[in-house]
Amino acid sequence: MDLDIDWVRAQFPAFATDALKDQAFFENAGGSYTCRPVIERLLRFYTERKMQPYGPSEPSRLGGAEMDEARRRLAALLGVETEQVSFGPSTTQNAYVLAQAFRDMMAPGEAIVVTDQDHEANSGPWRRLADAGIEIREWRMDPATGHLDPAALERLLDDKVRLVCFPHCSNVVGEINPVAEITALAHSAGAFACVDGVSYAPHGLPDVSATGADIYLFSAYKTYGPHQGIMVMRPGLGALLPNQAHHFNDRPLYKRFTPAGPDHAQVAASAGMADYFEDMAAHHGVAPAAAHDLMRAHEIRLLQPLLDAVGGRNDVRLLGPADAASRAPTVALSVPRPAEAAAALAARGVIAGASDFYAGRALGALGIDPGRGVLRLSFVHYTSEAEVARAIEALDAVL
């Protein structure tokens, strides 16, 4: 079944604004447009519920109920229990808090495996634990392709490893890693697995239980929602790790790793993400979980022509695989002057990015100067076929 792109785009007010008229947005990996249900829920909370939630008054009670609704409905879409879903200010902050908890639980000489493919959010906090005597082992990409080989991970695993941290897919390489296979390897060595899903979740919420991940992290603001980080954690691991919140929040799993108070309005508005995914599924006559497949099929169909266009050039290096089915539509290109190329695309109404995208370690491992960065075009399921054709034409003119 084809995605009804007209229906999809009608759910995003951004596409109806004069400010964005005639602009093709290809910086979605930096943050997606927000869907209408989230905007409506956020406005309602700020105008009707802006007080401490869970109180006896009706506005306060409704505010708390909406926060609970967000966790419950997102948990259902992710295939986990409600208690496993928690919110924090960002994924970077969530990962930092997790690292402090693991530091307190682990003994000097024990090890954590990280990759050189990661965004800094799921690399830097863990690497800093070396200061506490924890051994940091690096699972390295193939420097030519950016591929993470599970066989290379196996060689790093032994009874000292307590945690393996890796991305569902990289924000510059784009290849979708075999999460279930990798988590199984970690578990067979007695280690936990922490998966950074920030660059994958916008392309369809995964069944987290099926991945085997003990921790799964992603960002609501890249998944059509408000600026929040969402964390899923297995209860068994949550009970082992020391509480990082107020002492009186020690028992609820969804509070143990949130030191600061939640942003009530944004947590409540996140239920709008579930509204959107469920409405999409209903419009297409499929189960809510099938929204993932609708989104991915549309992206794959649009992505392959873009990959073919840049992959056939000898003046551009495409990072990651050239097969659309094996990657996310996050296309990083090594070109001589990325910033100039992005500016030239902007002049043609194509909004792209030029940066290291907080993936400096990955770029360095691929032999690319992080200071120069790369040109990146990233899209999601609300991108139209006409916009991709426009981007290809603009790229040809600019490059």
Side-chain angles (χ1 to χ4, degrees):
M1 180 185 298
D2 289 338
L3 188 72
D4 185 345
I5 190 64
D6 293 331
W7 180 89
V8 166
R9 290 172 73 86
Q11 312 312 307
F12 290 85
F15 293 120
T17 64
D18 290 337
L20 297 173
K21 186 178 181 181
D22 298 327
Q23 299 288 315
F25 186 45
F26 282 85
E27 233 314 38
N28 291 275
S32 64
Y33 289 140
T34 307
C35 61
R36 177 176 284 106
V38 168
I39 295 171
E40 291 174 347
R41 283 176 175 269
L42 190 62
L43 177 62
R44 182 174 66 192
F45 199 99
Y46 275 123
T47 54
E48 300 178 22
R49 321 256 200 261
K50 191 64 175 72
M51 59 186 69
Q52 284 293 322
Y54 303 106
S57 70
E58 188 67 357
S60 175
R61 183 190 68 78
L62 290 172
E66 289 186 353
M67 294 172 66
D68 292 343
E69 178 191 358
R71 290 193 307 106
R72 182 179 68 253
R73 293 179 62 202
L74 286 173
L77 288 173
L78 293 164
V80 298
E81 298 299 320
T82 301
E83 68 165 340
Q84 293 179 247
V85 176
S86 61
F87 289 84
S90 67
T91 293
T92 300
Q93 183 76 10
N94 285 344
Y96 181 85
V97 173
L98 282 172
Q100 306 318 300
F102 269 91
R103 182 190 63 184
D104 292 342
M105 184 184 77
M106 293 176 63
E110 292 183 323
I112 291 175
V113 174
V114 298
T115 83
D116 60 358
Q117 194 191 64
D118 269 287
H119 183 288
E120 189 65 16
N122 198 36
S123 183
W126 305 111
R127 292 173 186 266
R128 291 179 186 175
L129 298 189
D131 295 338
I134 294 168
E135 180 187 356
I136 305 300
R137 301 180 184 179
E138 188 174 69
W139 178 16
R140 296 178 181 172
M141 301 181 288
D142 181 314
T145 65
H147 176 65
L148 276 176
D149 184 357
L153 171 63
E154 282 191 273
R155 293 191 289 270
L156 296 173
L157 297 174
D158 58 29
D159 59 4
K160 290 185 179 180
V161 176
R162 300 295 302 279
L163 180 67
V164 177
C165 304
F166 66 97
H168 200 148
C169 70
S170 161
N171 69 332
V172 289
V173 175
E175 181 175 11
I176 298 171
N177 292 316
V179 175
E181 177 184 352
I182 296 167
T183 57
L185 287 174
H187 292 162
S188 67
F192 297 107
C194 176
V195 182
D196 176 5
V198 169
S199 294
Y200 182 87
H203 311 292
L205 294 182
D207 181 338
V208 174
S209 291
T211 69
D214 299 289
I215 303 165
Y216 194 92
L217 306 165
F218 69 100
S219 298
Y221 74 95
K222 297 186 181 183
T223 317
Y224 322 112
H227 202 294
Q228 289 286 284
I230 298 177
M231 176 169 63
V232 179
M233 183 183 292
R234 288 185 184 273
L237 174 57
L240 285 175
L241 291 170
N243 175 39
Q244 301 297 302
H246 297 309
H247 68 89
F248 46 80
N249 285 333
D250 180 70
R251 294 183 67 83
L253 177 59
Y254 73 96
K255 293 183 178 182
R256 283 174 61 84
F257 305 100
T258 309
D263 186 318
H264 304 145
Q266 292 196 70
V267 171
S270 294
M273 297 161 60
D275 289 336
Y276 173 60
F277 291 124
E278 291 175 4
D279 289 348
M280 181 197 302
H283 177 78
H284 290 84
V286 298
H292 170 282
D293 297 338
L294 282 169
M295 295 162 67
R296 281 292 295 148
H298 176 79
E299 292 176 349
I300 290 169
R301 182 171 65 83
L302 269 59
L303 176 58
Q304 195 60 59
L306 175 58
L307 295 176
D308 292 343
V310 297
R313 302 181 65 102
N314 59 15
D315 56 347
V316 171
R317 179 185 175 190
L318 167 67
L319 305 191
D323 172 26
S326 65
R327 65 175 297 151
T330 301
V331 181
L333 307 173
S334 180
V335 298
R337 292 175 293 279
E340 291 181 22
L345 287 173
R348 289 166 170 78
V350 175
I351 302 170
S355 172
D356 66 0
F357 302 105
Y358 295 165
R361 298 179 198 272
L363 295 184
L366 292 167
I368 298 168
D369 178 8
R372 187 186 74 196
V374 290
L375 175 67
R376 188 179 72 178
L377 290 88
S378 52
F379 68 90
V380 292
H381 71 289
Y382 56 50
T383 303
S384 70
E385 190 170 3
E387 286 178 318
V388 172
R390 181 178 178 183
I392 293 171
E393 181 180 359
L395 272 172
D396 188 57
V398 166
L399 296 178

